[in-house]
Amino acid sequence: GGGGVAKQLDPETTRTTTWLLTVWRDMVESKWGMSIDDRDELGGETEDEAAAPTQSLLNSCGVTSLCLDLIAPGLNDELKIEAIKLLIALLFKEGGNQLVQAKINEHLDTHDSSAFFMEAKATMTRLMEWHSLNPDGEPGDAKKELPGESILIKFLQLSAEGHFKKNQDILRTQNADYDEIRDGVFYKASRRVWTVQNSVPENLLDVMVDYLNLVSKIPYRVASKAAMLVAGLVLEVLQGPCELNQLHFSRKTDLLEILNRMMRSRTKNDQREVEEKELKFTVIKIFQALLEGRSSTDDLYKKIVGIVHLDVLISHVELPMARVLAEAGGGLGDDLPGLEGVGGGAGAQRGGAEPLAPGKPKEGPMPMERTLSGKSLEGGNDEEEEEEEEDEEELEEQKEQLQTQILVLLQMFSDYDPMLKEDRMMMRLEDMLEREVMSVEIVWNGKLQRRFFHMPELCTLIGETTKQNLVKDVDRSNMDNKLIDFMARVNDIYTELKWQEYLSQMRIQVIFSRENQNRATWLSFGLAFFINVVFIFGYEYRDAEECMGLSLPTMDRIYSDPKRSWNREAALAEYAGQLPCLPKMAFDVVSVLNYFQITVAIFTLMLFLVVVSKPKFDKAMSLPARPLTALGIPVDAPIFVLVRHILASIWHSISDGFPPALYYVGYTVACFLIMSTYPPLCAFLLLDIVVKSGTTANVLMAVYKPRTQLAATGVLLVFSIYIFTTFYFFSFRLDFKSDESFDDCKTLLGCFLSNMNYGMRNGGGFGDMMSHVSGASSGRMAVDALYFWIVLVVLLNIVFGIIIDTFAELRVTAEEHVTALKEFCFICGIPREKFDRTDREPGPGFGGGGGASEGGWRIHYRQDHNVWDYCAFVINLKEQDKDDDDGLELYVRHCMDTEQVDWFPKNKALCLGVEGSGADEGGNLDSLLGEVAKRIEESEHRLIYSTEKRFEKTQRTVESLMRHQKEAGKQLFMIKEAVAPPRRGRSRPTSRGGGVDEENFAERARSIVSANASAGPSRPDSRPGSGPPSPRQPGSISYPGMPGMPMIRGSLETDQVGQYSDLKDELDLTNAKIDELQSQLGDVLKLLTASHGGGGPMPGQKVPPAKRKSKVPLMSKSVDRGREDSLESLLSEPSVDKDDSEGESSVL
């Protein structure tokens, strides 16, 4: 039924097929747990994963192709609708089901799909007729539903979902991208197959515009629903971008004028304002899609900016009420469309109200029953009020989305024409554009492009502490690592912001925030500092009686126990009754501060667990659980795996980062122990400054970072001290000064501990504790000197040197970090001096700082490559539905998923004057080389194909001519034999040297003619490749058994020698023709060799199949063996005329 011919199916088969299609659709819907009507709004990635195997199975079994064949004229309408529903079920997937889309394109592109496209066009034509006959829908239909055939539009949209460009193009033209036509069959080099052309190609884009034009003029809800469907389809076939569709819509249709009219429309009759706002939102997205991927210098910008009515767009933007009243009071509000009379006049138009067109007289003030929001204040008809009742929350959301996209579009127009910023109406939006619209520069398709987008509300929850932590802790080892780490940290920030959003919805975000957690830590540190100040000035040892009631019993036990190492003096009688205590007032102050400190420490711990640890726990839980093993045996029980995963996530949440949550747990415990057990613990709380100050943290890092080197040096130091201890213990024990020292070295262990304690602290080492000796022969002098030089001078200074060098390295790193922040762009890495050499002036508003004269660097890092604009762009992409991505956003999302940073403008900036280039041209060059290699590969494939066809044709011609040459040679030999006299001994020499006997020549020639006459005409050559027989000429002869020999004109009876000469001339012409064809064949082979670059494939080029390399051997086997060597020598060194460009082009 192709070629536009209607298809037929008998009723019984139709019912069976319809039932089978329904069963297949139910298989997919059962995996979803919902119908195709609910899938778009309620479905997600979980449903996609569940239905993917079923969709893939049905697609691979040919169900997709079957459904496409069933969408054709002549078949049952119910069957066609069921086929479309099944295709929709197969296509539903976030971002598009590319396997099914590819199958659809393959079937429509490689078969005669005229029936499908004719049915699609006929369906939309019938829908237009239905709307013309039923402008407000079917009578009695309260829901205002569209006809069932309208589901075809949804199918066409899903077939191009995810910017599947081949399906976008095929809706415009079907007989495209072919390389050769032969007998109505197309050869497509891209697919390397022969296809059947569409007998009746259709352009569905024009039909879509006509349909949208019709329904946009009908002010009823059912027409608005149809307009939403068609507008969504137009948007889907544009995004990607599809450049040819962009040009077709903008140049060959009235789409721009239709969109302008739709933006001016107001809510009428039974139309719902929320649906009208959603339709206008789609219209704005279509405007953006028409400009997608195009630079601000493109002519399409000029055309669209010249057609779009800016006043209409601005009328849908709601200014803050304070500014509206201020402008209205100053007499400025009357100029703004949609704000007439606000604050001092009537006729205000807001929301869905249509602004007055230029030149259109005002019809007077609006009715008083309409407010600024469009709600009715008067009673009116109860039924109409029920029909017009709308969800206020959804309406406000749609208004906000429409407004934000209009602001983005206006910013795109302003980027194209900066003079628009000076427009009076545009200047009123200055603050909103600066506050709500951000921009980033992104490398896409080898070009550096500026992308405007709306700042997501989630970004307002980012605190200064989070920003400082990101800039401070990001890895700056190199450009790629910095951007990769930046993306990882942005993902963590997004997780934290989602949690903050939940806390905000619970109305506790004011308390549980990063800023409050940071303030609480500083408050706790301040309390610890004041408590220690009181300790310094208040603590002293007093008699126990004076301290009664001021110290707890635990303190009494600690300090009265003579076994305590820190209070060994209590064993002496004169100090036995003294305890450390505070004065009464100081004790009361410390008690209050300590209780307050405990409260703050608990609050800080709670804040840290809620604000910081909870997002880390969520992130850890989102990762796949690792298998649980017990004694090397894997445990597959889900409950054990889940428990282990939860415990591992909890541990990760409280131990990851600096400082971890465990730090605040210890801090809180220390606060409890200060007054209850041991007051000196309060001094350790002052070390909290290490967490708050990077410089003090570097002091500890100077010891922690070289811990391996310090540990190795410490081991060597201990071993050295032990060696010297053995000498002192075994040889010089009697040289100790006092009995205490003598007792310390009573055992080798005691001597070693004393050496470790006093040896490194005394200026002269362990020898300072011993008596002085004299005499050069004394061994003590050598041991003391070696101890001093080895232990005190060398090893200890090595330890100090390691620490000092590490601290200096950390300080240099910190200075480089500060330099990188101040002198280099975080995003592109270009130094500041390059931007300061550019003369840039920020425009009025639009992020320009009010028009103040600023340097190029300041403008660049605030506007062009603002770090937090890129963070907001990533967050906006994460918040956005994948189905709503345009081409650039889909590319960036793919880079984010694969941890690529190629979309960042590394060493590139538009403000430097060259778009899509910069200091680093390597990546750009690679992309260009890849594109060139791809085009070379396609061109080479086409060249090889056409050359092979030419080669085969030339080969057949050469073989035919060589057969003619061989046969002509035989005939010439027979003529020579026929006319030559019989040899009787030595022949008489003749003038021709051929031994022709003129006396017997005529008689022998007559006998040959008589033989040919009796034999009749020669048979044509029946071998493949030979042409039709030549017609008999008057007076010509042919030779039996020599088919294909050209007829020799003339008569041997009149001129025997002339006949011989004519035959020789024709043989010479045949040889010349063979030489010419062999020369052309040599040119072909030379071009084939050149296309391979001397035999090797080019970069990115595929090697042709092996069978293509066997043409010459096949030809050489088919020719006569006697000519094989000469032909191969001719082909190896072809004679090519370098100036014959016309001949070379004919070979190509």
Side-chain angles (χ1 to χ4, degrees):
V5 180
K7 298 182 180 180
Q8 295 181 355
L9 203 63
D10 62 83
E12 185 64 28
T13 306
T14 299
R15 288 192 295 269
T16 304
T17 307
T18 305
W19 173 81
L20 190 58
L21 296 178
T22 306
V23 171
W24 287 335
R25 176 165 58 87
D26 291 340
M27 291 171 58
V28 179
E29 291 179 340
S30 63
K31 296 294 183 180
W32 288 338
M34 61 188 70
S35 65
I36 59 173
D37 299 327
D38 301 328
R39 170 62 184 80
D40 201 7
E41 296 182 0
L42 305 179
E45 294 184 359
T46 304
E47 287 74 19
D48 291 343
E49 294 176 358
T54 304
Q55 291 173 327
S56 178
L57 177 63
L58 294 176
N59 180 62
S60 61
C61 292
V63 173
T64 303
S65 301
L66 173 63
C67 292
L68 292 173
D69 290 335
L70 293 176
I71 304 174
L75 297 181
N76 181 268
D77 291 340
E78 183 181 356
L79 175 62
K80 289 185 287 187
I81 293 176
E82 193 58 45
I84 296 174
K85 289 183 178 180
L86 179 55
L87 285 173
I88 291 176
L90 296 177
L91 284 168
F92 255 129
K93 184 181 180 182
E94 295 291 328
N97 194 331
Q98 295 187 0
L99 292 177
V100 181
Q101 290 172 330
K103 190 67 175 180
I104 292 173
N105 182 263
E106 178 186 355
H107 185 80
L108 296 179
D109 197 34
T110 57
H111 298 79
D112 184 3
S113 54
S114 300
F116 171 83
F117 287 100
M118 289 181 64
E119 177 62 22
K121 180 178 180 180
T123 299
M124 284 191 272
T125 303
R126 289 194 297 270
L127 289 173
M128 287 188 280
E129 295 174 355
W130 183 88
H131 283 286
S132 300
L133 297 175
N134 305 279
D136 58 343
E138 290 285 353
D141 183 8
K143 295 183 178 180
K144 304 300 180 182
E145 296 292 342
L146 292 170
E149 290 181 317
S150 62
I151 198 172
L152 174 70
I153 301 176
K154 184 64 176 179
F155 158 67
L156 295 177
Q157 178 182 351
L158 290 175
S159 66
E161 185 100 16
H163 323 309
F164 198 83
K165 194 170 184 180
K166 292 182 178 180
N167 286 348
Q168 291 175 327
D169 286 329
I170 205 170
L171 296 181
R172 184 186 67 259
T173 178
Q174 291 82 56
N175 295 337
D177 189 29
Y178 61 86
D179 303 277
E180 183 179 348
I181 304 178
R182 185 183 299 173
D183 298 331
V185 181
F186 286 14
Y187 179 77
K188 290 181 176 289
S190 58
R191 294 187 182 274
R192 301 185 181 183
V193 296
W194 290 92
T195 65
V196 179
Q197 64 173 332
N198 278 16
S199 56
V200 185
E202 299 288 353
N203 188 339
L204 296 185
L205 302 189
D206 295 337
V207 186
M208 291 155 49
V209 174
D210 294 339
Y211 191 11
L212 184 63
N213 182 32
L214 174 66
V215 295
S216 63
K217 295 178 180 179
I218 302 176
Y220 288 99
R221 185 182 179 186
V222 66
S224 298
K225 290 184 177 181
M228 272 300 304
L229 279 176
V230 181
L233 176 57
V234 172
L235 178 62
E236 198 61 57
V237 299
L238 280 172
Q239 287 183 333
C242 185
E243 296 86 354
L244 296 179
N245 286 353
Q246 287 178 330
L247 296 176
H248 183 85
F249 276 127
S250 59
R251 296 179 180 179
K252 300 181 179 181
T253 68
D254 298 330
L255 179 64
L256 296 178
E257 289 77 6
I258 296 172
L259 298 178
N260 260 332
R261 185 180 67 251
M262 294 173 68
M263 290 301 300
R264 292 195 303 268
S265 65
R266 67 175 68 187
T267 305
K268 299 178 181 178
N269 301 323
D270 62 343
Q271 292 177 327
R272 296 184 61 200
E273 188 174 359
V274 63
E275 294 176 350
E276 294 302 306
K277 293 295 182 183
E278 185 179 359
L279 178 58
K280 290 180 173 61
F281 173 83
T282 307
V283 169
I284 297 299
K285 295 292 289 185
I286 293 176
F287 278 127
Q288 296 176 3
L290 287 169
L291 299 174
E292 182 183 352
R294 300 188 177 272
S295 63
S296 57
T297 58
D298 197 289
D299 292 338
L300 192 55
Y301 258 98
K302 181 179 180 180
K303 181 172 183 177
I304 293 180
V305 172
I307 292 178
V308 174
H309 297 166
L310 295 183
D311 57 339
V312 176
L313 298 180
I314 297 176
S315 67
H316 294 283
V317 179
E318 297 184 2
L319 292 174
M321 186 55 64
R323 177 155 189 168
V324 172
L325 295 177
E327 291 183 353
L332 300 177
D334 297 334
D335 299 333
L336 188 62
L339 293 178
E340 292 86 358
V342 175
Q349 298 183 18
R350 299 297 295 273
E354 176 186 9
L356 294 176
K360 181 180 179 180
K362 295 185 179 181
E363 299 177 356
M366 293 182 62
M368 290 302 296
E369 64 266 21
R370 303 292 295 180
T371 65
L372 288 178
S373 61
K375 292 186 63 178
S376 176
L377 297 180
E378 295 185 357
N381 193 312
D382 294 337
E383 295 181 359
E384 293 180 357
E385 288 183 359
E386 291 179 0
E387 293 177 358
E388 295 179 359
E389 184 179 356
E390 299 168 340
D391 187 358
E392 288 295 331
E393 183 177 353
E394 184 180 0
L395 177 59
E396 291 301 322
E397 182 180 354
Q398 287 296 335
K399 284 184 178 180
E400 182 180 355
Q401 291 180 359
L402 174 61
Q403 175 173 301
T404 56
Q405 292 304 319
I406 289 176
L407 293 176
V408 170
L409 184 62
L410 291 175
Q411 192 69 292
M412 294 171 63
F413 290 165
S414 300
D415 186 57
Y416 161 74
D417 185 6
M419 295 300 295
L420 291 176
K421 300 177 183 179
E422 301 178 4
D423 184 82
R424 191 173 185 182
M425 292 186 297
M426 292 285 287
M427 291 179 66
R428 290 188 176 94
L429 305 178
E430 173 185 335
D431 296 336
M432 295 185 67
L433 288 170
E434 181 178 357
R435 183 177 63 254
E436 298 186 20
V437 180
M438 296 180 170
S439 68
V440 292
E441 294 178 3
I442 294 175
V443 177
W444 182 39
N445 292 335
K447 295 173 58 180
L448 185 60
Q449 303 182 13
R450 179 175 286 112
R451 165 52 62 98
F452 295 97
F453 64 98
H454 174 252
M455 186 190 72
E457 293 184 2
L458 205 61
C459 292
T460 59
L461 301 177
I462 302 178
E464 289 298 325
T465 303
T466 302
K467 294 182 178 181
Q468 293 173 5
N469 291 339
L470 185 146
V471 176
K472 179 184 67 175
D473 300 334
V474 70
D475 181 14
R476 295 178 181 266
S477 56
N478 58 59
M479 190 68 182
D480 286 344
N481 289 347
K482 178 179 68 176
L483 295 177
I484 291 173
D485 190 39
F486 170 73
M487 289 300 302
R489 295 180 182 275
V490 170
N491 291 333
D492 295 340
I493 290 176
Y494 176 71
T495 304
E496 180 181 333
L497 292 180
K498 293 299 290 183
W499 175 242
Q500 287 291 327
E501 183 182 36
Y502 174 77
L503 296 178
S504 178
Q505 295 173 355
M506 300 295 293
R507 303 184 184 277
I508 57 176
Q509 191 267 339
V510 178
I511 300 175
F512 294 94
S513 65
R514 275 273 190 163
E515 281 64 34
N516 290 341
Q517 187 257 338
N518 188 45
R519 296 187 190 102
T521 57
W522 277 106
L523 179 59
S524 182
F525 175 78
L527 292 173
F529 177 79
F530 282 114
I531 291 175
N532 280 279
V533 169
V534 175
F535 281 177
I536 290 175
F537 293 100
Y539 256 116
E540 63 177 340
Y541 275 92
R542 298 181 183 182
D543 293 336
E545 292 79 8
E546 297 180 11
C547 294
M548 292 300 297
L550 300 181
S551 298
L552 298 177
T554 305
M555 293 292 297
D556 296 340
R557 291 195 300 271
I558 290 177
Y559 285 93
S560 60
D561 188 355
K563 296 181 180 180
R564 301 293 179 183
S565 60
W566 54 77
N567 195 27
R568 298 183 67 177
E569 298 297 331
L572 303 178
E574 54 182 318
Y575 301 113
Q578 292 189 347
L579 295 174
C581 60
L582 294 169
K584 175 64 176 175
M585 182 178 295
F587 180 80
D588 294 338
V589 171
V590 169
S591 299
V592 174
L593 291 177
N594 184 245
Y595 289 129
F596 192 32
Q597 184 185 34
I598 292 174
T599 304
V600 174
I602 295 175
F603 180 66
T604 303
L605 177 61
M606 292 178 58
L607 285 175
F608 194 89
L609 292 176
V610 173
V611 175
V612 180
S613 296
K614 178 57 169 61
K616 292 181 179 180
F617 175 79
D618 294 339
K619 179 182 177 181
M621 287 295 295
S622 64
L623 299 176
R626 292 183 297 176
L628 180 64
T629 58
L631 301 177
I633 302 175
V635 180
D636 298 331
I639 185 63
F640 294 108
V641 175
L642 178 61
V643 170
R644 181 191 181 280
H645 189 51
I646 293 175
L647 294 178
S649 301
I650 292 175
W651 173 252
H652 173 79
S653 64
I654 64 176
S655 62
D656 181 63
F658 180 80
L662 292 175
Y663 169 80
Y664 291 102
V665 174
Y667 191 97
T668 305
V669 173
C671 292
F672 274 103
L673 297 177
I674 287 175
M675 294 302 295
S676 62
T677 303
Y678 192 45
L681 284 177
C682 189
F684 288 92
L685 299 184
L686 296 177
L687 294 178
D688 189 43
I689 192 65
V690 175
V691 179
K692 306 181 182 306
S693 173
T695 304
T696 54
N698 284 341
V699 175
L700 293 184
M701 287 298 297
V703 179
Y704 176 77
K705 187 176 181 180
R707 56 191 179 277
T708 303
Q709 299 175 356
L710 291 177
T713 307
V715 170
L716 182 60
L717 180 64
V718 171
F719 288 170
S720 300
I721 292 176
Y722 173 73
I723 292 172
F724 284 104
T725 300
T726 57
F727 282 102
Y728 287 124
F729 179 78
F730 289 104
S731 303
F732 307 108
R733 181 173 179 268
L734 300 177
D735 292 344
F736 287 102
K737 296 179 180 180
S738 61
D739 294 339
E740 291 82 1
S741 300
F742 183 82
D743 293 338
D744 288 339
C745 271
K746 187 175 182 180
T747 63
L748 182 59
L749 176 61
C751 195
F752 173 73
L753 295 177
S754 298
N755 202 345
M756 289 287 295
N757 184 21
Y758 302 109
M760 289 187 293
R761 293 193 290 118
N762 292 332
F766 198 54
D768 287 354
M769 299 182 60
M770 306 173 72
S771 60
H772 295 286
V773 296
S774 59
S777 60
S778 174
R780 266 279 312 283
M781 182 182 68
V783 173
D784 290 346
L786 289 174
Y787 189 97
F788 175 77
W789 285 106
I790 295 176
V791 176
L792 301 183
V793 175
V794 177
L795 294 179
L796 284 182
N797 281 292
I798 288 176
V799 173
F800 300 151
I802 291 173
I803 296 174
I804 293 173
D805 289 345
T806 304
F807 183 78
E809 179 184 350
L810 293 173
R811 184 180 61 184
V812 171
T813 302
E815 292 175 353
E816 292 176 351
H817 179 79
V818 174
T819 302
L821 284 176
K822 294 182 178 180
E823 303 297 331
F824 291 88
C825 175
F826 182 93
I827 299 299
C828 65
I830 299 177
R832 175 176 184 166
E833 57 185 12
K834 287 191 176 183
F835 299 103
D836 287 337
R837 289 198 294 264
T838 61
D839 297 329
R840 298 185 65 195
E841 291 293 336
F846 299 90
S853 178
E854 297 178 314
W857 165 254
R858 186 179 298 273
I859 301 173
H860 175 73
Y861 82 79
R862 283 186 177 180
Q863 298 180 26
D864 300 338
H865 289 177
N866 190 307
V867 176
W868 302 110
D869 286 356
Y870 280 86
C871 178
F873 178 75
V874 174
I875 293 175
N876 180 69
L877 207 56
K878 287 180 172 293
E879 286 288 279
Q880 182 173 281
D881 192 343
K882 188 176 181 180
D883 291 337
D884 297 332
D885 290 348
D886 59 17
L888 183 144
E889 292 168 340
L890 193 64
Y891 164 73
V892 175
R893 187 185 295 273
H894 173 73
C895 291
M896 291 165 50
D897 295 339
T898 55
E899 297 184 356
Q900 298 180 19
V901 292
D902 296 337
W903 62 280
F904 281 99
K906 294 180 288 186
N907 297 306
K908 298 180 180 69
L910 287 177
C911 64
L912 295 182
V914 180
E915 181 173 309
S917 64
D920 180 18
E921 298 180 355
N924 206 16
L925 182 60
D926 291 341
S927 62
L928 290 177
L929 286 177
E931 183 67 21
V932 170
K934 181 180 178 181
R935 294 185 179 182
I936 289 176
E937 179 184 351
E938 295 176 355
S939 300
E940 184 207 3
H941 181 74
R942 297 178 182 179
L943 175 63
I944 290 174
Y945 174 78
S946 60
T947 306
E948 285 180 351
K949 295 298 181 183
R950 190 78 176 184
F951 187 92
E952 293 173 357
K953 183 177 179 180
T954 306
Q955 178 184 354
R956 290 193 298 267
T957 305
V958 169
E959 292 174 355
S960 176
L961 288 175
M962 292 188 71
R963 286 194 299 270
H964 284 289
Q965 183 190 30
K966 182 178 178 181
E967 293 164 356
K970 292 180 180 180
Q971 294 173 7
L972 182 61
F973 176 76
M974 292 178 63
I975 291 175
K976 287 183 178 181
E977 290 294 328
V979 301
R983 298 187 180 185
R984 297 185 183 92
R986 297 180 66 87
S987 61
R988 178 168 53 90
T990 62
S991 59
R992 285 187 173 269
V996 179
D997 187 356
E998 297 180 0
E999 296 178 357
N1000 298 325
F1001 185 88
E1003 183 179 354
R1004 295 179 180 274
R1006 291 189 192 98
S1007 64
I1008 294 175
V1009 172
S1010 300
N1012 279 284
S1014 62
S1018 61
R1019 293 176 299 173
D1021 192 0
S1022 60
R1023 289 173 296 178
S1026 63
S1030 301
R1032 291 288 297 268
Q1033 303 278 345
S1036 64
I1037 61 174
S1038 61
Y1039 302 94
M1042 301 177 186
M1045 174 65 192
M1047 302 302 176
I1048 301 177
R1049 300 180 180 89
S1051 174
L1052 290 176
E1053 298 178 352
T1054 58
D1055 190 2
Q1056 297 87 353
V1057 178
Q1059 174 65 33
Y1060 176 80
S1061 178
D1062 292 340
L1063 184 62
K1064 188 171 181 61
D1065 290 341
E1066 291 197 20
L1067 182 62
D1068 293 338
L1069 290 175
T1070 303
N1071 290 331
K1073 184 64 175 178
I1074 291 176
D1075 293 339
E1076 180 184 357
L1077 289 174
Q1078 288 176 342
S1079 177
Q1080 292 183 5
L1081 186 60
D1083 294 342
V1084 172
L1085 293 177
K1086 184 176 180 180
L1087 288 173
L1088 280 176
T1089 305
S1091 68
H1092 287 280
M1098 297 183 63
Q1101 174 184 342
K1102 296 182 179 179
V1103 180
K1107 63 181 181 180
R1108 297 174 184 160
K1109 301 180 180 180
S1110 61
K1111 295 295 182 181
V1112 174
L1114 288 175
M1115 183 195 69
S1116 60
K1117 291 178 182 179
S1118 64
V1119 300
D1120 184 74
R1121 286 297 180 181
R1123 299 280 296 177
E1124 183 175 354
D1125 297 335
S1126 62
L1127 181 60
E1128 289 182 351
S1129 63
L1130 178 64
L1131 294 179
S1132 62
E1133 296 181 1
S1135 175
V1136 181
D1137 188 358
K1138 297 181 180 179
D1139 297 331
D1140 190 10
S1141 60
E1142 182 179 356
E1144 181 177 341
S1145 63
S1146 66
V1147 173
L1148 289 177

